[in-house]
Amino acid sequence: MDIKITDGKLLEKYIDTHYLYTQFGYYEFFNNITVPEVEAIVMDTIEDIFPEPFSIRKHTCKYDNRFNFEVNIETKNIYCLVEWNYMKECYKFRKGDNAFTYFESYDSLIRHIIREFKNVNTDTDKLITDCTHLIKAIETSSKVDISLDYLINRIKDPQEIEDMLYGDLPF
């Protein structure tokens, strides 16, 4: 591929291949990348145009999607709120009046929600149903053709739930 670079000094610049690998990895997950997208990623890397780190992005992100659900714990209902922006990879979760907890991925968000209610007396089936609806809402908001059925199948499997709750296996 012949990428036109107008500044000769940029031709001598070191390229962070780890950044390139990460960026191409996102596209590989979706199974499609176009030549202009490859050119844009390479040029952004050469010109030091990187996305904001998550520590900054989580506060500047425009959370344009919202999902509410309630968890019944004994005689009390706990109101939960999830907000996210799929394309910017920022997710946040609030349980009751607590402060928001921030996440870079929907996997870690779902895992956190399930773990948050692991030691309380609650209707696990309803929680799994709410998480399933949340996953479908995230899938719909993605604006790309993705399927998160694998994640739904994982949270519906009792052994996977046990691993999420008590195991240290990556999710």
Side-chain angles (χ1 to χ4, degrees), residues 8 44-45 51 64 68 73 81 89-90 96 98 122 129 132 136 141-142 149 167:
D44 285 354
T45 303
D64 51 6
N68 302 304
I73 300 175
L81 172 65
E89 297 178 310
C90 40
N98 296 339
T122 188
T129 299
T132 300
K136 282 297 185 185
S141 74
S142 70
D149 288 341

Side-chain angles (χ1 to χ4, degrees), residues 76-128:
K76 191 164 101 176
N77 284 338
I78 304 293
Y79 176 77
C80 298
L81 172 65
V82 177
E83 294 180 346
W84 71 92
N85 184 322
Y86 179 85
M87 298 307 284
K88 298 288 184 185
E89 297 178 310
C90 40
Y91 302 83
K92 62 183 182 177
F93 169 72
R94 182 172 61 206
K95 173 184 162 187
D97 294 330
N98 296 339
F100 277 104
T101 305
Y102 296 88
F103 304 91
E104 279 187 271
S105 73
Y106 50 80
D107 318 16
S108 57
L109 166 70
I110 298 298
R111 184 177 184 171
H112 176 80
I113 291 170
I114 291 172
R115 282 187 171 199
E116 188 70 23
F117 297 101
K118 74 178 180 181
N119 292 324
V120 296
N121 185 15
T122 188
D123 182 358
T124 306
D125 290 337
K126 182 185 177 314
L127 180 62
I128 298 303

Side-chain angles (χ1 to χ4, degrees), residues 113-163:
I113 291 170
I114 291 172
R115 282 187 171 199
E116 188 70 23
F117 297 101
K118 74 178 180 181
N119 292 324
V120 296
N121 185 15
T122 188
D123 182 358
T124 306
D125 290 337
K126 182 185 177 314
L127 180 62
I128 298 303
T129 299
D130 288 339
C131 286
T132 300
H133 291 305
L134 171 58
I135 293 167
K136 282 297 185 185
I138 292 170
E139 183 180 81
T140 302
S141 74
S142 70
K143 298 183 178 115
V144 292
D145 186 22
I146 64 164
S147 173
L148 300 179
D149 288 341
Y150 77 93
L151 187 57
I152 292 170
N153 292 336
R154 289 191 75 185
I155 66 169
K156 288 184 177 181
D157 180 352
Q159 183 56 50
E160 292 288 341
I161 292 292
E162 284 296 311
D163 291 343

